Amino acid sequence: MATSNHITKVAIVGAGGNSGSFMTEALLKTGKHTVTAITRVDSQSKLPEGVISKKVDYSKPETLVEALRGQDALVITLSAQTPKDIDMQLIKAACEADVAWILPNEWSPDTANEALVKDVFIFQSKGATRKAITDLGKSSYIAVSTGFWYEWSLAIPAAFGIDLVNRTATFFDEGETKISTSTWPQVGRAVAALLSLPIKPDGSNKEACLENLKNKVVYVNSFTVSQKDMLESALRMTGTKKDEWSITKEPAQERYANGLKEMKEGNRIGFAKMMYTRVFYPDGCGDFEHNKGTINSLLDLPKENIDEATRAAIERSKTSSWGR
């Protein structure tokens, strides 16, 4: 339990992962937090210098409780392939260990949007997790919605529809629907800034405290852009012209339906098509910046340059075969 008005001890599950490593580095950079990585006994993840490592055995819940005891906050960042019960084990252990704050495994488009969650089944567990934390009644959550990770997703042709290697683009509808998306560095900064806020109001800004965000879904992003914006950025970063690319269009609803069909046939690219295309529907579900509002200014997050993020995606695309 925090003895002051600030969180100092933070445990992270997934500290060596894609987004978790950026969260860990950003937390360490503040100089305000002691960071503990909760890892499996057989984990080979390389952790940043200065991180405390605690090994746990998920078949022995008591090891989770012991590892989390004394922590002020738990940040969970797990891959989609992680068994569903792991989330619940961590939440129950955190409650038993009296961890006051949990940042659950959110890091996604707006899972408070009922229509989106209905159509993308993988998002349904997010709301269930939030409810479980509330029902257990020991910890409070702040669920951070980031949109899809930009540099990860742009490097996957089946995701944002742009193949950076083969220079092809498939626009969903007209390619003009805007979605809110975040880079990994921005997600890291958001977590560090969030967990650096006072717990209760302190100073003139009464909004800037964890209690004000308690048991809520909050939104952060790097930018809100369309496929056409992404392609224009790719053209700038590759020094190419539009006529050097093959550009086609596909109705978003048709692509979503085809993705569902392919997924049921065992094609994992179908899963990516289904999940990503749904966020580009013209119902606004992907644009939480304008439809829900972000806490970027509250956290003093910087404005980011899409071209720099596109450059990172181009580098990733050279080594990633996922979604081709």
Side-chain angles (χ1 to χ4, degrees), residues 66-79:
E66 182 57 33
L68 292 172
R69 205 173 294 284
Q71 299 293 325
D72 301 324
L74 168 64
V75 180
I76 305 174
T77 170
L78 298 168
S79 75

Side-chain angles (χ1 to χ4, degrees), residues 28-77:
L28 290 171
K29 191 176 180 180
T30 68
K32 302 174 182 177
H33 304 94
T34 300
V35 181
T36 299
I38 307 299
T39 62
R40 295 177 183 272
V41 290
D42 58 350
S43 173
Q44 300 298 314
S45 291
K46 183 174 175 56
L47 300 172
E49 186 177 347
V51 174
I52 299 167
S53 177
K54 288 195 176 181
K55 303 282 189 178
V56 298
D57 183 345
Y58 282 94
S59 69
K60 299 176 180 178
E62 64 274 13
T63 66
L64 288 172
V65 176
E66 182 57 33
L68 292 172
R69 205 173 294 284
Q71 299 293 325
D72 301 324
L74 168 64
V75 180
I76 305 174
T77 170

Side-chain angles (χ1 to χ4, degrees), residues 160-162 170-172 175 177 225-231 280:
F160 285 164
I162 297 173
T170 300
F171 287 155
F172 315 151
T177 299
V225 292
S226 68
Q227 288 179 287
K228 285 187 175 180
D229 296 327
M230 297 176 196
L231 180 59
F280 283 93

Side-chain angles (χ1 to χ4, degrees), residues 154-155 157 162-168 238 245 313-320 324:
L154 186 58
I162 297 173
D163 189 331
L164 296 167
V165 173
N166 296 308
R167 295 182 181 174
T168 67
T238 57
W245 290 61
I314 291 170
E315 289 305 308
R316 276 193 55 80
S317 71
K318 294 174 182 178
T319 58
S320 174
R324 295 190 188 286

Side-chain angles (χ1 to χ4, degrees), residues 69-298:
R69 205 173 294 284
Q71 299 293 325
D72 301 324
L74 168 64
V75 180
I76 305 174
T77 170
L78 298 168
S79 75
Q81 287 72 44
T82 303
K84 294 179 181 179
D85 63 327
I86 296 297
D87 246 350
M88 203 55 62
Q89 282 183 263
L90 287 165
I91 288 162
K92 289 180 179 178
C95 290
E96 190 172 337
D98 292 322
V99 179
W101 298 90
I102 298 174
L103 270 58
N105 195 35
E106 194 75 22
W107 329 114
S108 61
D110 185 11
T111 64
N113 183 297
E114 293 182 5
L116 176 62
V117 172
K118 179 183 177 183
D119 287 346
V120 184
F121 67 90
I122 196 172
F123 294 156
Q124 293 171 8
S125 64
K126 310 290 188 181
T129 297
R130 298 193 295 267
K131 184 177 185 302
I133 296 171
T134 303
D135 289 348
L136 286 166
K138 292 283 192 72
S139 306
S140 300
Y141 72 80
I142 301 175
V144 184
S145 181
T146 61
F148 288 121
W149 298 326
Y150 183 79
E151 63 271 60
W152 166 271
S153 303
L154 186 58
I156 302 172
F160 285 164
I162 297 173
D163 189 331
L164 296 167
V165 173
N166 296 308
R167 295 182 181 174
T168 67
T170 300
F171 287 155
F172 315 151
D173 296 327
E174 297 300 315
E176 296 175 352
T177 299
K178 292 183 180 288
I179 66 164
S180 301
T181 178
S182 298
T183 65
W184 282 326
Q186 187 81 324
V187 173
R189 286 187 289 264
V191 169
L194 182 60
L195 294 181
S196 297
L197 290 175
I199 296 171
K200 296 182 183 297
D202 181 15
S204 58
N205 188 352
K206 302 301 182 184
E207 299 294 311
C209 67
L210 296 180
E211 286 287 349
N212 190 53
L213 305 175
K214 179 178 178 179
N215 295 337
K216 293 180 180 179
V217 178
V218 299
Y219 303 87
V220 300
N221 75 326
S222 295
F223 27 71
T224 296
V225 292
S226 68
Q227 288 179 287
K228 285 187 175 180
D229 296 327
M230 297 176 196
L231 180 59
E232 288 297 328
S233 178
L235 295 178
R236 291 191 294 271
M237 290 298 95
T238 57
T240 57
K241 297 179 180 179
K242 193 175 291 186
D243 60 12
E244 296 176 62
W245 290 61
S246 173
I247 301 173
T248 58
K249 297 178 182 179
E250 184 176 2
Q253 292 190 0
E254 184 178 302
R255 183 180 174 88
Y256 169 84
N258 288 336
L260 271 180
K261 181 175 179 293
E262 291 171 15
M263 185 182 67
K264 290 174 181 176
E265 293 169 350
N267 185 341
R268 71 173 186 163
I269 292 178
F271 171 75
K273 284 183 178 180
M274 176 276 300
M275 180 173 66
Y276 278 91
T277 306
R278 180 59 183 84
V279 176
F280 283 93
Y281 274 24
D283 60 1
C285 71
D287 182 2
F288 57 67
E289 178 181 359
H290 298 101
N291 295 325
K292 296 286 184 73
T294 72
I295 60 168
N296 284 29
S297 60
L298 181 73

